[in-house]
């Protein structure tokens, strides 16, 4: 998917909501456990109930790998379902990969060619040659971790090297890489006060913002300095939406929660 197509979808739906599909069999409605593939049935119900309110879905791969081959099959069915039934949706494989170039090439093949995701999250720690194999794919997007939502973000990312925070170095350096227009970045919603500085370095790139809902981040605070003229934000919530109810009405409850967030976003977009 091109960035222009993503922006068009955001404007049409008046939403920049990304729903995290982080499925935990211990949290889903027990009636689904009798199904042959409860993970996929859960995702399908959530997607069908919320696709008009969200522009992106982000399955975190850990939640599938944790169930072995069955989890991987459920992931494959989920991405195939999204691509076939809702091709306008932007899909994110939250895999946080990155290795020596030869190995990153295989990760890129797995998520872009085989599974056909539009994007993947990648850790920048191993540097340029670990990221470029992802960037080489036309109309696929590499979402580089910059300033993450967790407490550990302060262990390395905000430490200064030569007078500058490491996460700022990541943002600046990655902008010099080949095909850097295929880059998006992750900045946690819990780090809203950093968006002024971040937008000075990357005024144009999309930023994936996890951490609203269960982690306590605020959409309004992120938007105050995070928006750009193309909107430029994808705000993700997983647990806050998909476990709004753990009963049989889980999909309707997820849709209600997603609608709340979409309406907040619509109000913000109306003021742009
Ligand atoms: O890359 C991510 O998506 C990510 C980066 C980050 O800094 N913080 C973060 O929470 N995430 C992911 O975003 C999702 C957040 O889920 P909830 O806290 O349930 O909304 C999880 O899949 C996390 O792994």
């Amino acid at each position: 998917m091109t960035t222009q197509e993503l922006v068009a979808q955001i404007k049409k739906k008046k939403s920049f909501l990304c729903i995290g599909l982080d499925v935990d069999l211990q949290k889903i409605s027990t009636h689904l456990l009798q199904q042959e593939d409860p993970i996929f049935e859960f995702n399908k119900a959530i997607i069908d109930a919320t696709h008009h309110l969200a522009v992106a879905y982000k399955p975190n791969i850990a939640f599938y790998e944790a169930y072995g081959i069955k989890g991987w099959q459920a992931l494959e069915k989920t991405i195939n379902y999204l691509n076939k039934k809702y091709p306008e949706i932007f899909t994110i494989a939250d895999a946080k990969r990155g290795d020596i170039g030869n190995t990153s090439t295989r990760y890129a093949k797995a998520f872009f060619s085989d599974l056909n995701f539009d994007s993947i999250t990648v850790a920048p720690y191993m540097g340029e040659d670990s990221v470029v194999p992802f960037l080489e794919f036309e109309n696929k997007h590499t979402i580089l971790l910059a300033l993450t939502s967790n407490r550990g973000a302060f262990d390395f990312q905000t430490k200064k090297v030569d007078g500058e925070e490491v996460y700022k170095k990541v943002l600046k350096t990655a902008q010099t890489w080949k095909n850097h227009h295929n880059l998006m970045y992750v900045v946690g919603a819990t780090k809203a006060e950093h968006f002024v500085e971040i937008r000075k370095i990357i005024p144009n790139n999309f930023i994936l913002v996890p951490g609203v809902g269960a982690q306590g981040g605020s959409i309004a605070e992120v938007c105050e300095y995070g928006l750009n003229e193309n909107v430029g934000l994808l705000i993700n919530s997983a647990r806050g939406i998909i476990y709004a109810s753990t009963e049989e009405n889980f999909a309707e409850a997820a849709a209600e929660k997603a609608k709340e967030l979409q309406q907040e976003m619509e109000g913000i977009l109306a003021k742009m």
Side-chain angles (χ1 to χ4, degrees):
M1 181 180 297
T2 64
T3 307
Q4 289 80 354
E5 285 167 332
L6 173 61
V7 174
Q9 197 201 164
I10 289 173
K11 292 192 172 151
K12 188 167 160 211
K13 289 181 175 168
K14 300 184 173 58
S15 168
F16 40 101
L17 178 63
C18 172
I19 298 183
L21 297 173
D22 297 355
V23 188
D24 179 343
L25 289 180
Q26 293 189 323
K27 289 189 185 156
I28 71 176
S29 171
T30 49
H31 84 284
L32 288 172
L33 299 176
Q34 281 116 47
Q35 306 263 353
E36 202 188 314
D37 188 344
I39 301 176
F40 174 66
E41 294 305 331
F42 177 80
N43 283 346
K44 183 170 171 293
I46 296 277
I47 292 164
D48 285 340
T50 58
H51 67 93
H52 55 297
L53 302 165
V55 294
Y57 288 88
K58 181 176 77 67
N60 185 308
I61 307 307
F63 289 82
Y64 299 83
E65 287 176 329
Y67 297 109
I69 182 83
K70 287 199 167 148
W72 201 261
Q73 281 164 347
L75 175 68
E76 190 172 35
K77 276 156 81 176
T78 303
I79 181 67
N80 288 346
Y81 186 72
L82 279 166
N83 282 339
K84 194 160 175 221
K85 188 132 187 238
Y86 305 108
E88 74 283 6
I89 293 279
F90 185 73
T91 55
I92 304 170
D94 186 4
K96 299 188 179 66
R97 300 297 148 109
D99 204 320
I100 62 164
N102 187 47
T103 308
S104 276
T105 306
R106 307 313 283 171
Y107 281 139
K109 180 182 179 304
F111 289 99
F112 288 157
S113 304
D114 185 41
L115 289 173
N116 203 12
F117 275 94
D118 291 311
S119 67
I120 180 174
T121 55
V122 169
Y125 196 66
M126 288 178 72
E128 180 176 7
D129 55 324
S130 73
V131 180
V132 163
F134 297 99
L135 293 175
E136 280 168 351
F137 281 73
E138 189 80 6
N139 293 331
K140 299 284 185 181
H141 305 262
T142 302
I143 313 182
L144 209 58
L145 300 180
L147 185 59
T148 56
S149 65
N150 58 327
R151 193 164 33 88
F154 300 114
D155 288 343
F156 302 120
Q157 296 162 20
T158 54
K159 291 279 182 283
K160 288 191 175 173
V161 175
D162 299 335
E164 187 171 57
E165 291 93 336
V166 167
Y167 80 89
K168 288 187 186 164
K169 284 203 186 294
V170 169
L171 296 172
K172 284 184 188 168
T173 307
Q175 288 294 304
T176 67
W177 293 341
K178 196 176 149 208
N179 292 340
H180 59 89
H181 49 270
N182 290 347
L183 275 171
M184 299 183 178
Y185 296 92
V186 174
V187 178
T190 52
K191 307 290 190 299
E193 70 277 17
H194 295 262
F195 272 90
V196 181
E197 292 289 304
I198 288 170
R199 274 298 182 210
K200 282 185 197 156
I201 305 170
I202 47 152
N204 300 320
N205 300 71
F206 259 84
I207 305 178
L208 170 66
V209 188
V212 301
Q215 297 179 53
S218 139
I219 294 180
E221 282 174 23
V222 167
C223 288
E224 192 169 352
Y225 300 108
L227 288 168
N228 67 15
E229 58 185 21
N230 267 336
V231 182
L233 294 174
L234 290 172
I235 294 192
N236 180 84
S237 175
R239 287 167 292 177
I241 292 177
I242 67 175
Y243 303 125
S245 160
T246 52
E247 309 293 322
E248 287 199 23
N249 69 342
F250 71 96
E252 297 92 85
E256 267 171 42
K257 194 71 211 169
K259 178 96 193 151
E260 257 175 50
L261 300 185
Q262 182 274 328
Q263 286 190 328
E264 187 176 354
M265 291 175 181
E266 184 170 344
I268 291 167
L269 292 176
K271 289 189 209 129
M272 273 180 78

